[in-house]
Amino acid sequence: MTIFKKIIDRDIPAKIVYEDELCLAFHDVNPQAPVHVLIIPKKEISAVDAIQAEDKELIGHIFCVIPKIAKDLGLAEGYRVVTNNGLLAGQTVAHLHFHILGGRPMMWPPG
Ligand code: DGP
């Protein structure tokens, strides 16, 4: 079981900013920007690589929710959505998550 499943189950605390039947969003414990929120499916999907065709609606739903969260967090001027897939990309938690980063200018290319 991952740490994010424990957050979904309320076994460990998190600063939750959004929740519905399909997904949960909460502040990252190690923020890389003034605003750094993670949005995760409640379904246990380990990574982008593990997304199945049956998850299309769920993933689409998450991307419909992201702009609402960004607006609520005051990111009208722009924000970045990032997902790390696999070790080389720096994925450290094996539960699919999208980082929502904002509140400062973002560099490109990313590191
Ligand atoms: P990634 O490296 O893409 O797998 O991102 C995992 C993120 O999860 C990382 O930015 C730190 C965050 N994180 C890890 N453990 C916890 C936790 O227990 N609570 C919260 N809120 N965030 C966590």
Side-chain angles (χ1 to χ4, degrees), residues 3-4 7 26-29 38 84 90-93 97 99:
I3 198 99
F4 290 174
I7 289 174
F26 52 89
H27 287 279
D28 194 294
V29 80
L38 303 171
N84 297 318
Q91 184 178 2
T92 58
V93 180
H97 51 284
H99 299 256

Side-chain angles (χ1 to χ4, degrees), residues 10-63:
R10 304 300 202 272
D11 288 337
I12 65 165
K15 291 183 188 165
I16 292 170
V17 297
Y18 178 88
E19 179 170 26
D20 63 29
E21 69 281 11
L22 295 176
C23 65
L24 183 71
F26 52 89
H27 287 279
D28 194 294
V29 80
N30 183 24
Q32 302 300 313
V35 176
H36 187 171
V37 163
L38 303 171
I39 183 165
I40 67 173
K42 288 186 173 175
K43 179 178 176 183
E44 288 185 275
I45 299 171
S46 61
V48 170
D49 273 348
I51 294 171
Q52 304 290 317
E54 69 192 29
D55 302 319
K56 273 191 265 188
E57 215 168 298
L58 170 60
I59 303 303
H61 174 73
I62 287 174
F63 274 83

Side-chain angles (χ1 to χ4, degrees), residues 72-106:
D72 287 348
L73 294 174
L75 302 180
E77 285 185 84
Y79 57 92
R80 183 167 291 171
V81 180
V82 177
T83 186
N84 297 318
N85 181 84
L87 281 179
L88 262 189
Q91 184 178 2
T92 58
V93 180
H95 184 121
L96 181 64
H97 51 284
F98 300 96
H99 299 256
I100 304 169
L101 297 141
R104 65 166 170 81
M106 295 289 157

